[in-house]
Amino acid sequence: DGGITQSPKYLFRKEGQNVTLSCEQNLNHDAMYWYRQDPGQGLRLIYYSQIVNDFQKGDIAEGYSVSREKKESFPLTVTSAQKNPTAFYLCASSSWTGLGDGYTFGSGTRLTVV
Amino acid sequence: AQSVTQLGSHVSVSEGALVLLRCNYSSSVPPYLFWYVQYPNQGLQLLLKYTSAATLVKGINGFEAEFKKSETSFHLTKPSAHMSDAAEYFCAVSVTAGTALIFGKGTTLSVSS
């Protein structure tokens, strides 16, 4: 079955460490997105990519980086510059326009700073 | 710029009662509107979408929403709540192809027996 896989489900980061969250889709979707979810804040856009080797910053891109070397994969790196990284991270994908069918979401990665 | 506001961060209903979750949008052009549901520690699942066809949209699990341009609203309703409806619900808007969805802050629905 087609879908989006995020891994790991839980991730612990030490202060000053970079960590990478994985997102893979087999839906043949062109566009992929990363959102951060905090209680009471809803979903805030970190980065998105519509085609391979191209991506755009969202509202809260500082302290994060992404790459899109393959259509199926859109990993997110949380760098040491991100001062408050503890959150639930959601990856999504869609057709290029993203309008007609909405997004398909992964099951999320919960990142905790220890 | 477009935005979406969900009125009420928490809604409580009794099992069998009407569910009404409110969403208002701001957009200078006709929007595309979505409702998603999220169960604890899971991703979001699409409930229904408005894409300028019918103004009354039916979704999964008995939910429906009505697009009212004059009120800039897209409220989500269900005639009779079930315990399994307890979750967080998000309204989202997009107006331009190739840009990301804008989400509201969410409404947590609690259902009591």
Side-chain angles (χ1 to χ4, degrees):
Chain A
D1 289 340
I4 295 186
T5 301
Q6 288 188 244
S7 62
K9 191 171 181 64
Y10 298 96
L11 185 58
F12 298 91
R13 192 193 93 165
K14 294 181 180 179
E15 295 282 351
Q17 214 176 31
N18 291 354
V19 292
T20 297
L21 283 60
S22 172
C23 179
E24 304 273 338
Q25 55 100 359
N26 60 2
L27 299 164
N28 199 33
H29 281 164
D30 292 302
M32 297 186 74
Y33 312 82
W34 275 105
Y35 286 88
R36 170 177 170 147
Q37 185 177 16
D38 297 280
Q41 299 279 333
L43 276 69
R44 293 182 290 169
L45 182 66
I46 305 173
Y47 272 98
Y48 68 103
S49 168
Q50 291 177 273
I51 56 173
V52 173
N53 292 323
D54 188 45
F55 44 83
Q56 286 74 44
K57 292 182 178 180
D59 300 320
I60 57 166
E62 185 175 351
Y64 300 97
S65 66
V66 294
S67 63
R68 187 86 185 276
E69 298 178 359
K70 299 185 300 181
K71 186 176 182 178
E72 301 79 17
S73 178
F74 191 41
L76 173 74
T77 296
V78 184
T79 74
S80 57
Q82 172 51 241
K83 298 307 178 187
N84 184 23
T86 295
F88 191 52
Y89 291 86
L90 287 162
C91 180
S93 70
S94 74
S95 62
W96 184 85
T97 66
L99 299 178
D101 297 321
Y103 293 180
T104 301
F105 280 85
S107 56
T109 293
R110 187 166 297 281
L111 174 63
T112 303
V113 173
V114 296
Chain B
Q2 66 268 28
S3 65
V4 61
T5 302
Q6 292 185 240
L7 302 175
S9 59
H10 198 159
V11 171
S12 297
V13 300
S14 299
E15 194 171 21
L18 171 71
V19 175
L20 171 60
L21 304 182
R22 300 177 186 273
C23 173
N24 288 89
Y25 68 91
S26 173
S27 173
S28 58
V29 298
Y32 293 83
L33 293 160
F34 304 83
W35 275 100
Y36 285 85
V37 61
Q38 183 184 34
Y39 298 99
N41 294 312
Q42 294 186 26
L44 276 66
Q45 179 184 6
L46 181 66
L47 272 178
L48 49 80
K49 60 183 179 183
Y50 168 75
T51 56
S52 75
T55 56
L56 181 62
V57 181
K58 295 188 183 297
I60 62 172
N61 300 339
F63 284 94
E64 62 181 37
E66 186 172 8
F67 174 71
K68 292 187 177 181
K69 184 178 179 180
S70 61
E71 299 177 9
T72 62
S73 69
F74 190 57
H75 301 332
L76 181 71
T77 61
K78 182 174 180 178
S80 177
H82 192 273
M83 297 293 286
S84 61
D85 295 327
E88 189 161 20
Y89 293 80
F90 292 92
C91 183
V93 64
S94 182
V95 298
T96 308
T99 60
L101 283 178
I102 305 296
F103 286 86
K105 293 189 175 183
T107 298
T108 299
L109 175 66
S110 299
V111 182
S112 58
S113 57

